[in-house]
Amino acid sequence: MHIPVLLKETIEILEPKENENFVDATFGEGGHSLEILKYTEPNGKILALEWDPELYKLGVEKIKKLKMEKRIKLVNKNFKNLKRIVKEEGFSQIKGVVFDLGISSWHYEKSGRGFSFKYDEPLDMRINPKIKITAFEIVNYYSYKDLVEIFRNYGEEKEAERVAEEIVRRRKVKKIESSQELAKIVLQAKRFKKKKIHPATQVFMALRTFINGELENLKKGIKSAYDVLDQGGKIVVISFQGLEDKVIKEVFKLLKEKGAEIITKNVIRPDKEEIFKNPKARSAKLRALKKP
Ligand SMILES: C[S@@+](CC[C@H](N)C(=O)[O-])C[C@H]1O[C@@H](n2cnc3c(N)ncnc32)[C@H](O)[C@@H]1O
């Protein structure tokens, strides 16, 4: 089960009220959507997006089981096209949009796509199977130079060269097939290992971010969200890595020039109690803005 992150803070900012409409750009297992719906009874609606087709199917079943079909419409689409999707769905009077970035606990624990080095799974890492490249193809066929760039630009990996070198050396002997094989290679290649996180964390993050175009989606998604918001509407973005936060700050700055009010002068982070209950929340950051 995915534990929704910074849920209380999201609600405090969005201030959902009776019969208001919201967009959940990243439905996942529905934590944020279901909480918002409690405040928007009886007729407030949510348009929710989930790009992963398997998680989307599970979401549709969940909504049916909870008899919430009249109040949540879940679509299997990418939030980068939010403006078009909102139009296609005829959704309007949007008071807020939530982005809870990254992937769900389900991806790590159940998808079988090699997102985690906790399990030995094929190197896939696609959120949606329509994406053309997999982690296997990148790791086994991309040039040394491209690997270095991906690890550095999408994962801020300081030892990108050493890791890429080791990958290229090892794949000449045998193709790198699984998440744990890759994690071991990274572990052997790196000289400096942080105590708190596994040494392969940044390389896995880089591959996932690159494959799924996560930074590009984010840029387009926030801009689209701003366009569809009602006056006085808000955008909440919860991110988990520095590169995402950088993109959010850049787009917020652009929107501020258009008149948006930045609500979070200082970034909001989970309190000690939340981190204690859910250690995965420790790197979360929340930023929010309001459309005038
Ligand atoms: C951190 S989870 C959201 C968790 C959710 N708030 C909850 O409480 O269950 C992020 C979700 O967004 C989905 N996702 C990632 N990129 C997306 C995109 N570009 N468009 C739509 N959904 C996306 C992922 O598949 C994942 O399920």
Side-chain angles (χ1 to χ4, degrees):
M1 239 297 268
H2 184 92
I3 307 172
V5 172
L6 291 164
L7 188 58
K8 176 170 61 80
E9 292 78 359
T10 301
I11 297 293
E12 276 166 14
I13 290 173
L14 290 178
E15 300 177 293
K17 292 182 195 65
E18 204 179 320
N19 299 336
E20 286 185 343
N21 292 346
F22 289 84
V23 170
D24 183 351
T26 51
F27 183 78
E29 295 176 41
H32 288 84
S33 278
L34 295 174
E35 188 66 14
I36 292 170
L37 286 177
K38 290 182 192 163
Y39 295 82
T40 59
E41 282 178 344
N43 293 316
K45 295 191 174 45
I46 287 191
L47 172 64
L49 279 60
E50 174 48 60
W51 195 24
D52 189 305
E54 279 190 62
L55 208 46
Y56 160 77
K57 265 191 212 150
L58 293 173
V60 170
E61 280 165 24
K62 188 172 193 168
I63 292 166
K64 218 175 183 178
K65 211 167 145 194
L66 295 170
K67 298 192 173 38
M68 282 287 188
E69 296 103 312
K70 286 208 175 103
R71 298 191 59 212
I72 317 185
K73 171 78 189 283
L74 182 60
V75 296
N76 181 210
K77 292 187 178 159
N78 187 330
F79 61 59
K80 77 173 178 188
N81 301 315
L82 190 60
K83 196 172 168 183
R84 195 174 74 208
I85 299 164
V86 163
K87 202 170 166 207
E88 283 165 1
E89 295 296 327
F91 203 63
S92 61
Q93 294 175 323
I94 299 165
K95 299 292 176 208
V97 181
V98 186
F99 292 86
D100 177 18
L101 302 173
I103 52 174
S104 244
S105 297
W106 178 87
H107 284 105
Y108 291 111
E109 303 293 333
K110 304 263 174 65
S111 73
R113 294 181 214 156
F115 286 111
S116 165
F117 30 74
K118 217 166 101 187
Y119 307 107
D120 205 21
E121 296 170 348
L123 283 170
D124 183 320
M125 294 198 201
R126 292 172 298 172
I127 294 177
N128 186 301
K130 283 186 188 148
I131 294 166
K132 299 277 186 301
I133 34 159
T134 64
F136 176 85
E137 281 149 8
I138 295 176
V139 165
N140 287 291
Y141 298 106
Y142 273 36
S143 67
Y144 164 80
K145 191 171 155 277
D146 288 345
L147 288 176
V148 171
E149 268 174 31
I150 292 171
F151 298 154
R152 197 183 284 147
N153 298 344
Y154 293 86
E156 297 181 306
E157 172 55 68
K158 290 200 175 67
E159 295 190 72
E161 284 98 345
R162 290 180 68 87
V163 175
E165 236 169 66
E166 186 64 9
I167 287 175
V168 171
R169 196 176 70 79
R170 298 284 284 269
R171 74 187 187 190
K172 280 185 193 146
V173 182
K174 178 197 162 298
K175 295 260 174 292
I176 303 162
E177 313 249 4
S178 77
S179 44
Q180 285 189 348
E181 250 181 283
L182 176 63
K184 269 187 212 149
I185 292 172
V186 178
L187 182 72
Q188 284 161 6
K190 283 180 72 165
R191 242 188 305 184
F192 303 103
K193 289 153 195 159
K194 287 185 183 163
K195 281 200 185 109
K196 282 192 183 158
I197 58 167
H198 188 287
T201 304
Q202 286 114 311
V203 166
F204 273 62
M205 175 84 82
L207 288 168
R208 200 198 83 206
T209 308
F210 175 76
I211 290 166
N212 296 294
E214 292 179 34
L215 301 178
E216 296 81 359
N217 293 341
L218 180 57
K219 211 178 210 173
K220 289 189 183 154
I222 301 177
K223 285 185 188 164
S224 276
Y226 192 75
D227 287 342
V228 301
L229 269 185
D230 252 16
Q231 280 186 341
K234 294 166 188 166
I235 300 177
V236 168
V237 192
I238 302 167
S239 66
F240 295 84
Q241 51 142 318
L243 291 167
E244 284 172 343
D245 195 44
K246 212 169 138 197
V247 170
I248 299 161
K249 279 197 280 189
E250 273 168 25
V251 182
F252 273 27
K253 201 173 155 208
L254 268 172
L255 295 174
K256 195 179 167 195
E257 283 161 18
K258 282 194 186 176
E261 179 196 334
I262 310 293
I263 303 172
T264 45
K265 296 279 178 283
N266 294 314
V267 73
I268 297 177
R269 315 213 46 158
D271 56 28
K272 277 189 194 144
E273 195 187 334
E274 176 166 4
I275 297 173
F276 180 73
K277 284 189 194 148
N278 179 19
K280 282 187 187 144
R282 68 185 178 277
S283 54
K285 286 183 180 168
L286 184 154
R287 293 188 189 273
L289 62 70
K290 185 174 175 180
K291 186 167 174 172

PDB file of all heavy atoms in Angstrom, residues 135-163:
ATOM      1  N   ALA A 135      15.441   0.059 -19.798  1.00  0.00           N
ATOM      2  CA  ALA A 135      16.733   0.190 -19.105  1.00  0.00           C
ATOM      3  C   ALA A 135      17.731  -0.840 -19.665  1.00  0.00           C
ATOM      4  O   ALA A 135      18.933  -0.563 -19.763  1.00  0.00           O
ATOM      5  CB  ALA A 135      16.530  -0.006 -17.613  1.00  0.00           C
ATOM      6  N   PHE A 136      17.241  -2.017 -20.050  1.00  0.00           N
ATOM      7  CA  PHE A 136      18.125  -3.051 -20.618  1.00  0.00           C
ATOM      8  C   PHE A 136      18.840  -2.513 -21.856  1.00  0.00           C
ATOM      9  O   PHE A 136      20.048  -2.676 -22.018  1.00  0.00           O
ATOM     10  CB  PHE A 136      17.298  -4.303 -20.974  1.00  0.00           C
ATOM     11  CG  PHE A 136      18.093  -5.369 -21.654  1.00  0.00           C
ATOM     12  CD1 PHE A 136      18.818  -6.292 -20.907  1.00  0.00           C
ATOM     13  CD2 PHE A 136      18.153  -5.441 -23.041  1.00  0.00           C
ATOM     14  CE1 PHE A 136      19.586  -7.271 -21.541  1.00  0.00           C
ATOM     15  CE2 PHE A 136      18.927  -6.409 -23.675  1.00  0.00           C
ATOM     16  CZ  PHE A 136      19.630  -7.332 -22.919  1.00  0.00           C
ATOM     17  N   GLU A 137      18.078  -1.862 -22.736  1.00  0.00           N
ATOM     18  CA  GLU A 137      18.680  -1.349 -23.977  1.00  0.00           C
ATOM     19  C   GLU A 137      19.714  -0.260 -23.683  1.00  0.00           C
ATOM     20  O   GLU A 137      20.779  -0.233 -24.306  1.00  0.00           O
ATOM     21  CB  GLU A 137      17.582  -0.815 -24.910  1.00  0.00           C
ATOM     22  CG  GLU A 137      16.886  -1.949 -25.631  1.00  0.00           C
ATOM     23  CD  GLU A 137      15.423  -1.649 -25.949  1.00  0.00           C
ATOM     24  OE1 GLU A 137      14.985  -0.503 -25.738  1.00  0.00           O
ATOM     25  OE2 GLU A 137      14.750  -2.575 -26.373  1.00  0.00           O
ATOM     26  N   ILE A 138      19.402   0.601 -22.752  1.00  0.00           N
ATOM     27  CA  ILE A 138      20.343   1.688 -22.443  1.00  0.00           C
ATOM     28  C   ILE A 138      21.638   1.119 -21.868  1.00  0.00           C
ATOM     29  O   ILE A 138      22.743   1.425 -22.331  1.00  0.00           O
ATOM     30  CB  ILE A 138      19.706   2.683 -21.452  1.00  0.00           C
ATOM     31  CG1 ILE A 138      18.519   3.355 -22.128  1.00  0.00           C
ATOM     32  CG2 ILE A 138      20.727   3.713 -20.969  1.00  0.00           C
ATOM     33  CD1 ILE A 138      17.755   4.283 -21.232  1.00  0.00           C
ATOM     34  N   VAL A 139      21.472   0.268 -20.877  1.00  0.00           N
ATOM     35  CA  VAL A 139      22.642  -0.255 -20.166  1.00  0.00           C
ATOM     36  C   VAL A 139      23.522  -1.118 -21.094  1.00  0.00           C
ATOM     37  O   VAL A 139      24.747  -1.074 -21.014  1.00  0.00           O
ATOM     38  CB  VAL A 139      22.159  -1.047 -18.926  1.00  0.00           C
ATOM     39  CG1 VAL A 139      23.255  -1.898 -18.363  1.00  0.00           C
ATOM     40  CG2 VAL A 139      21.631  -0.086 -17.865  1.00  0.00           C
ATOM     41  N   ASN A 140      22.883  -1.850 -21.996  1.00  0.00           N
ATOM     42  CA  ASN A 140      23.668  -2.767 -22.830  1.00  0.00           C
ATOM     43  C   ASN A 140      24.106  -2.210 -24.173  1.00  0.00           C
ATOM     44  O   ASN A 140      25.039  -2.732 -24.779  1.00  0.00           O
ATOM     45  CB  ASN A 140      22.892  -4.071 -23.045  1.00  0.00           C
ATOM     46  CG  ASN A 140      22.871  -4.902 -21.777  1.00  0.00           C
ATOM     47  OD1 ASN A 140      23.895  -5.433 -21.343  1.00  0.00           O
ATOM     48  ND2 ASN A 140      21.703  -4.968 -21.143  1.00  0.00           N
ATOM     49  N   TYR A 141      23.437  -1.154 -24.662  1.00  0.00           N
ATOM     50  CA  TYR A 141      23.764  -0.700 -26.019  1.00  0.00           C
ATOM     51  C   TYR A 141      24.172   0.765 -26.140  1.00  0.00           C
ATOM     52  O   TYR A 141      24.711   1.168 -27.151  1.00  0.00           O
ATOM     53  CB  TYR A 141      22.582  -0.978 -26.968  1.00  0.00           C
ATOM     54  CG  TYR A 141      22.291  -2.458 -27.080  1.00  0.00           C
ATOM     55  CD1 TYR A 141      21.183  -3.014 -26.457  1.00  0.00           C
ATOM     56  CD2 TYR A 141      23.161  -3.305 -27.778  1.00  0.00           C
ATOM     57  CE1 TYR A 141      20.929  -4.380 -26.530  1.00  0.00           C
ATOM     58  CE2 TYR A 141      22.928  -4.671 -27.857  1.00  0.00           C
ATOM     59  CZ  TYR A 141      21.802  -5.195 -27.224  1.00  0.00           C
ATOM     60  OH  TYR A 141      21.577  -6.535 -27.298  1.00  0.00           O
ATOM     61  N   TYR A 142      23.899   1.607 -25.144  1.00  0.00           N
ATOM     62  CA  TYR A 142      24.264   3.019 -25.268  1.00  0.00           C
ATOM     63  C   TYR A 142      25.783   3.179 -25.108  1.00  0.00           C
ATOM     64  O   TYR A 142      26.426   2.405 -24.404  1.00  0.00           O
ATOM     65  CB  TYR A 142      23.537   3.861 -24.217  1.00  0.00           C
ATOM     66  CG  TYR A 142      22.160   4.321 -24.649  1.00  0.00           C
ATOM     67  CD1 TYR A 142      21.333   3.515 -25.428  1.00  0.00           C
ATOM     68  CD2 TYR A 142      21.673   5.575 -24.281  1.00  0.00           C
ATOM     69  CE1 TYR A 142      20.068   3.934 -25.820  1.00  0.00           C
ATOM     70  CE2 TYR A 142      20.403   6.003 -24.674  1.00  0.00           C
ATOM     71  CZ  TYR A 142      19.602   5.173 -25.443  1.00  0.00           C
ATOM     72  OH  TYR A 142      18.357   5.595 -25.821  1.00  0.00           O
ATOM     73  N   SER A 143      26.313   4.217 -25.775  1.00  0.00           N
ATOM     74  CA  SER A 143      27.760   4.427 -25.729  1.00  0.00           C
ATOM     75  C   SER A 143      28.192   4.865 -24.323  1.00  0.00           C
ATOM     76  O   SER A 143      27.354   5.345 -23.532  1.00  0.00           O
ATOM     77  CB  SER A 143      28.158   5.522 -26.727  1.00  0.00           C
ATOM     78  OG  SER A 143      27.627   6.760 -26.279  1.00  0.00           O
ATOM     79  N   TYR A 144      29.482   4.737 -24.067  1.00  0.00           N
ATOM     80  CA  TYR A 144      30.051   5.198 -22.791  1.00  0.00           C
ATOM     81  C   TYR A 144      29.662   6.653 -22.541  1.00  0.00           C
ATOM     82  O   TYR A 144      29.205   7.009 -21.462  1.00  0.00           O
ATOM     83  CB  TYR A 144      31.582   5.021 -22.851  1.00  0.00           C
ATOM     84  CG  TYR A 144      32.317   5.796 -21.796  1.00  0.00           C
ATOM     85  CD1 TYR A 144      32.416   5.313 -20.492  1.00  0.00           C
ATOM     86  CD2 TYR A 144      32.910   7.037 -22.102  1.00  0.00           C
ATOM     87  CE1 TYR A 144      33.067   6.047 -19.514  1.00  0.00           C
ATOM     88  CE2 TYR A 144      33.567   7.764 -21.129  1.00  0.00           C
ATOM     89  CZ  TYR A 144      33.647   7.271 -19.844  1.00  0.00           C
ATOM     90  OH  TYR A 144      34.275   7.996 -18.878  1.00  0.00           O
ATOM     91  N   LYS A 145      29.799   7.480 -23.578  1.00  0.00           N
ATOM     92  CA  LYS A 145      29.530   8.919 -23.437  1.00  0.00           C
ATOM     93  C   LYS A 145      28.063   9.177 -23.071  1.00  0.00           C
ATOM     94  O   LYS A 145      27.756   9.986 -22.190  1.00  0.00           O
ATOM     95  CB  LYS A 145      29.879   9.602 -24.782  1.00  0.00           C
ATOM     96  CG  LYS A 145      29.906  11.086 -24.746  1.00  0.00           C
ATOM     97  CD  LYS A 145      30.492  11.614 -26.068  1.00  0.00           C
ATOM     98  CE  LYS A 145      30.013  13.003 -26.334  1.00  0.00           C
ATOM     99  NZ  LYS A 145      28.700  13.095 -26.966  1.00  0.00           N
ATOM    100  N   ASP A 146      27.161   8.468 -23.729  1.00  0.00           N
ATOM    101  CA  ASP A 146      25.728   8.653 -23.435  1.00  0.00           C
ATOM    102  C   ASP A 146      25.397   8.197 -22.015  1.00  0.00           C
ATOM    103  O   ASP A 146      24.596   8.827 -21.322  1.00  0.00           O
ATOM    104  CB  ASP A 146      24.857   7.890 -24.439  1.00  0.00           C
ATOM    105  CG  ASP A 146      24.863   8.552 -25.809  1.00  0.00           C
ATOM    106  OD1 ASP A 146      25.299   9.721 -25.891  1.00  0.00           O
ATOM    107  OD2 ASP A 146      24.458   7.908 -26.787  1.00  0.00           O
ATOM    108  N   LEU A 147      26.023   7.097 -21.600  1.00  0.00           N
ATOM    109  CA  LEU A 147      25.765   6.617 -20.233  1.00  0.00           C
ATOM    110  C   LEU A 147      26.213   7.658 -19.211  1.00  0.00           C
ATOM    111  O   LEU A 147      25.493   7.975 -18.270  1.00  0.00           O
ATOM    112  CB  LEU A 147      26.494   5.286 -19.978  1.00  0.00           C
ATOM    113  CG  LEU A 147      25.924   4.049 -20.693  1.00  0.00           C
ATOM    114  CD1 LEU A 147      26.808   2.836 -20.435  1.00  0.00           C
ATOM    115  CD2 LEU A 147      24.495   3.744 -20.274  1.00  0.00           C
ATOM    116  N   VAL A 148      27.406   8.211 -19.433  1.00  0.00           N
ATOM    117  CA  VAL A 148      27.924   9.233 -18.508  1.00  0.00           C
ATOM    118  C   VAL A 148      26.935  10.399 -18.427  1.00  0.00           C
ATOM    119  O   VAL A 148      26.571  10.855 -17.346  1.00  0.00           O
ATOM    120  CB  VAL A 148      29.320   9.735 -18.952  1.00  0.00           C
ATOM    121  CG1 VAL A 148      29.754  10.941 -18.125  1.00  0.00           C
ATOM    122  CG2 VAL A 148      30.357   8.623 -18.865  1.00  0.00           C
ATOM    123  N   GLU A 149      26.471  10.840 -19.606  1.00  0.00           N
ATOM    124  CA  GLU A 149      25.537  11.986 -19.620  1.00  0.00           C
ATOM    125  C   GLU A 149      24.244  11.675 -18.899  1.00  0.00           C
ATOM    126  O   GLU A 149      23.719  12.499 -18.148  1.00  0.00           O
ATOM    127  CB  GLU A 149      25.249  12.401 -21.063  1.00  0.00           C
ATOM    128  CG  GLU A 149      26.210  13.471 -21.500  1.00  0.00           C
ATOM    129  CD  GLU A 149      26.077  13.822 -22.956  1.00  0.00           C
ATOM    130  OE1 GLU A 149      24.960  13.722 -23.509  1.00  0.00           O
ATOM    131  OE2 GLU A 149      27.108  14.187 -23.543  1.00  0.00           O
ATOM    132  N   ILE A 150      23.709  10.482 -19.116  1.00  0.00           N
ATOM    133  CA  ILE A 150      22.442  10.112 -18.451  1.00  0.00           C
ATOM    134  C   ILE A 150      22.642  10.067 -16.939  1.00  0.00           C
ATOM    135  O   ILE A 150      21.857  10.647 -16.179  1.00  0.00           O
ATOM    136  CB  ILE A 150      21.914   8.754 -18.981  1.00  0.00           C
ATOM    137  CG1 ILE A 150      21.480   8.905 -20.443  1.00  0.00           C
ATOM    138  CG2 ILE A 150      20.758   8.234 -18.119  1.00  0.00           C
ATOM    139  CD1 ILE A 150      21.134   7.608 -21.143  1.00  0.00           C
ATOM    140  N   PHE A 151      23.700   9.397 -16.493  1.00  0.00           N
ATOM    141  CA  PHE A 151      23.905   9.269 -15.038  1.00  0.00           C
ATOM    142  C   PHE A 151      24.125  10.639 -14.391  1.00  0.00           C
ATOM    143  O   PHE A 151      23.672  10.897 -13.288  1.00  0.00           O
ATOM    144  CB  PHE A 151      25.092   8.342 -14.725  1.00  0.00           C
ATOM    145  CG  PHE A 151      24.881   6.929 -15.222  1.00  0.00           C
ATOM    146  CD1 PHE A 151      25.965   6.103 -15.535  1.00  0.00           C
ATOM    147  CD2 PHE A 151      23.600   6.416 -15.379  1.00  0.00           C
ATOM    148  CE1 PHE A 151      25.759   4.801 -16.000  1.00  0.00           C
ATOM    149  CE2 PHE A 151      23.388   5.126 -15.847  1.00  0.00           C
ATOM    150  CZ  PHE A 151      24.475   4.329 -16.162  1.00  0.00           C
ATOM    151  N   ARG A 152      24.813  11.516 -15.120  1.00  0.00           N
ATOM    152  CA  ARG A 152      25.127  12.821 -14.552  1.00  0.00           C
ATOM    153  C   ARG A 152      23.908  13.761 -14.630  1.00  0.00           C
ATOM    154  O   ARG A 152      23.510  14.342 -13.640  1.00  0.00           O
ATOM    155  CB  ARG A 152      26.309  13.430 -15.324  1.00  0.00           C
ATOM    156  CG  ARG A 152      26.961  14.563 -14.581  1.00  0.00           C
ATOM    157  CD  ARG A 152      28.065  15.180 -15.398  1.00  0.00           C
ATOM    158  NE  ARG A 152      29.282  14.377 -15.420  1.00  0.00           N
ATOM    159  CZ  ARG A 152      30.100  14.310 -16.463  1.00  0.00           C
ATOM    160  NH1 ARG A 152      29.825  14.929 -17.589  1.00  0.00           N
ATOM    161  NH2 ARG A 152      31.203  13.587 -16.391  1.00  0.00           N
ATOM    162  N   ASN A 153      23.308  13.839 -15.815  1.00  0.00           N
ATOM    163  CA  ASN A 153      22.251  14.840 -16.020  1.00  0.00           C
ATOM    164  C   ASN A 153      20.892  14.450 -15.457  1.00  0.00           C
ATOM    165  O   ASN A 153      20.038  15.292 -15.248  1.00  0.00           O
ATOM    166  CB  ASN A 153      22.084  15.146 -17.510  1.00  0.00           C
ATOM    167  CG  ASN A 153      23.351  15.734 -18.098  1.00  0.00           C
ATOM    168  OD1 ASN A 153      24.236  16.186 -17.356  1.00  0.00           O
ATOM    169  ND2 ASN A 153      23.477  15.709 -19.407  1.00  0.00           N
ATOM    170  N   TYR A 154      20.675  13.164 -15.272  1.00  0.00           N
ATOM    171  CA  TYR A 154      19.359  12.739 -14.783  1.00  0.00           C
ATOM    172  C   TYR A 154      19.412  12.118 -13.388  1.00  0.00           C
ATOM    173  O   TYR A 154      18.396  11.781 -12.815  1.00  0.00           O
ATOM    174  CB  TYR A 154      18.706  11.760 -15.774  1.00  0.00           C
ATOM    175  CG  TYR A 154      18.352  12.419 -17.077  1.00  0.00           C
ATOM    176  CD1 TYR A 154      19.294  12.531 -18.100  1.00  0.00           C
ATOM    177  CD2 TYR A 154      17.091  12.979 -17.272  1.00  0.00           C
ATOM    178  CE1 TYR A 154      18.990  13.169 -19.292  1.00  0.00           C
ATOM    179  CE2 TYR A 154      16.775  13.616 -18.456  1.00  0.00           C
ATOM    180  CZ  TYR A 154      17.720  13.704 -19.461  1.00  0.00           C
ATOM    181  OH  TYR A 154      17.411  14.348 -20.641  1.00  0.00           O
ATOM    182  N   GLY A 155      20.617  11.933 -12.846  1.00  0.00           N
ATOM    183  CA  GLY A 155      20.707  11.336 -11.517  1.00  0.00           C
ATOM    184  C   GLY A 155      21.723  12.026 -10.620  1.00  0.00           C
ATOM    185  O   GLY A 155      21.934  11.589  -9.495  1.00  0.00           O
ATOM    186  N   GLU A 156      22.373  13.056 -11.144  1.00  0.00           N
ATOM    187  CA  GLU A 156      23.417  13.784 -10.395  1.00  0.00           C
ATOM    188  C   GLU A 156      24.442  12.823  -9.790  1.00  0.00           C
ATOM    189  O   GLU A 156      24.881  13.020  -8.660  1.00  0.00           O
ATOM    190  CB  GLU A 156      22.770  14.663  -9.309  1.00  0.00           C
ATOM    191  CG  GLU A 156      21.876  15.747  -9.880  1.00  0.00           C
ATOM    192  CD  GLU A 156      21.243  16.634  -8.820  1.00  0.00           C
ATOM    193  OE1 GLU A 156      20.600  16.078  -7.917  1.00  0.00           O
ATOM    194  OE2 GLU A 156      21.408  17.861  -8.900  1.00  0.00           O
ATOM    195  N   GLU A 157      24.786  11.787 -10.559  1.00  0.00           N
ATOM    196  CA  GLU A 157      25.755  10.802 -10.083  1.00  0.00           C
ATOM    197  C   GLU A 157      27.172  11.375 -10.255  1.00  0.00           C
ATOM    198  O   GLU A 157      27.609  11.648 -11.373  1.00  0.00           O
ATOM    199  CB  GLU A 157      25.582   9.489 -10.873  1.00  0.00           C
ATOM    200  CG  GLU A 157      26.639   8.435 -10.616  1.00  0.00           C
ATOM    201  CD  GLU A 157      26.806   8.080  -9.149  1.00  0.00           C
ATOM    202  OE1 GLU A 157      25.880   7.486  -8.595  1.00  0.00           O
ATOM    203  OE2 GLU A 157      27.863   8.415  -8.552  1.00  0.00           O
ATOM    204  N   LYS A 158      27.877  11.535  -9.128  1.00  0.00           N
ATOM    205  CA  LYS A 158      29.207  12.160  -9.178  1.00  0.00           C
ATOM    206  C   LYS A 158      30.248  11.240  -9.803  1.00  0.00           C
ATOM    207  O   LYS A 158      31.245  11.695 -10.338  1.00  0.00           O
ATOM    208  CB  LYS A 158      29.635  12.559  -7.768  1.00  0.00           C
ATOM    209  CG  LYS A 158      28.824  13.727  -7.239  1.00  0.00           C
ATOM    210  CD  LYS A 158      29.555  14.424  -6.094  1.00  0.00           C
ATOM    211  CE  LYS A 158      28.813  15.648  -5.640  1.00  0.00           C
ATOM    212  NZ  LYS A 158      27.530  15.344  -5.000  1.00  0.00           N
ATOM    213  N   GLU A 159      30.037   9.930  -9.701  1.00  0.00           N
ATOM    214  CA  GLU A 159      31.013   8.988 -10.265  1.00  0.00           C
ATOM    215  C   GLU A 159      30.508   8.382 -11.576  1.00  0.00           C
ATOM    216  O   GLU A 159      30.723   7.191 -11.834  1.00  0.00           O
ATOM    217  CB  GLU A 159      31.319   7.916  -9.233  1.00  0.00           C
ATOM    218  CG  GLU A 159      32.004   8.477  -7.994  1.00  0.00           C
ATOM    219  CD  GLU A 159      32.526   7.374  -7.087  1.00  0.00           C
ATOM    220  OE1 GLU A 159      33.522   6.736  -7.458  1.00  0.00           O
ATOM    221  OE2 GLU A 159      31.917   7.151  -6.026  1.00  0.00           O
ATOM    222  N   ALA A 160      29.830   9.231 -12.375  1.00  0.00           N
ATOM    223  CA  ALA A 160      29.214   8.748 -13.612  1.00  0.00           C
ATOM    224  C   ALA A 160      30.232   8.032 -14.526  1.00  0.00           C
ATOM    225  O   ALA A 160      29.922   6.981 -15.096  1.00  0.00           O
ATOM    226  CB  ALA A 160      28.585   9.924 -14.350  1.00  0.00           C
ATOM    227  N   GLU A 161      31.453   8.576 -14.632  1.00  0.00           N
ATOM    228  CA  GLU A 161      32.448   7.982 -15.541  1.00  0.00           C
ATOM    229  C   GLU A 161      32.842   6.584 -15.078  1.00  0.00           C
ATOM    230  O   GLU A 161      32.908   5.654 -15.873  1.00  0.00           O
ATOM    231  CB  GLU A 161      33.726   8.842 -15.631  1.00  0.00           C
ATOM    232  CG  GLU A 161      33.588  10.086 -16.463  1.00  0.00           C
ATOM    233  CD  GLU A 161      33.328  11.299 -15.601  1.00  0.00           C
ATOM    234  OE1 GLU A 161      32.973  11.117 -14.411  1.00  0.00           O
ATOM    235  OE2 GLU A 161      33.471  12.421 -16.126  1.00  0.00           O
ATOM    236  N   ARG A 162      33.120   6.458 -13.804  1.00  0.00           N
ATOM    237  CA  ARG A 162      33.552   5.150 -13.275  1.00  0.00           C
ATOM    238  C   ARG A 162      32.451   4.099 -13.469  1.00  0.00           C
ATOM    239  O   ARG A 162      32.739   2.966 -13.853  1.00  0.00           O
ATOM    240  CB  ARG A 162      33.895   5.261 -11.777  1.00  0.00           C
ATOM    241  CG  ARG A 162      35.159   6.050 -11.498  1.00  0.00           C
ATOM    242  CD  ARG A 162      35.420   6.097 -10.005  1.00  0.00           C
ATOM    243  NE  ARG A 162      35.768   4.778  -9.485  1.00  0.00           N
ATOM    244  CZ  ARG A 162      36.996   4.288  -9.453  1.00  0.00           C
ATOM    245  NH1 ARG A 162      37.994   5.019  -9.878  1.00  0.00           N
ATOM    246  NH2 ARG A 162      37.225   3.086  -8.975  1.00  0.00           N
ATOM    247  N   VAL A 163      31.210   4.512 -13.209  1.00  0.00           N
ATOM    248  CA  VAL A 163      30.097   3.554 -13.346  1.00  0.00           C
ATOM    249  C   VAL A 163      29.934   3.164 -14.822  1.00  0.00           C
ATOM    250  O   VAL A 163      29.810   1.973 -15.143  1.00  0.00           O
ATOM    251  CB  VAL A 163      28.780   4.159 -12.793  1.00  0.00           C
ATOM    252  CG1 VAL A 163      27.615   3.222 -13.054  1.00  0.00           C
ATOM    253  CG2 VAL A 163      28.894   4.440 -11.303  1.00  0.00           C
TER     254      VAL A 163
END
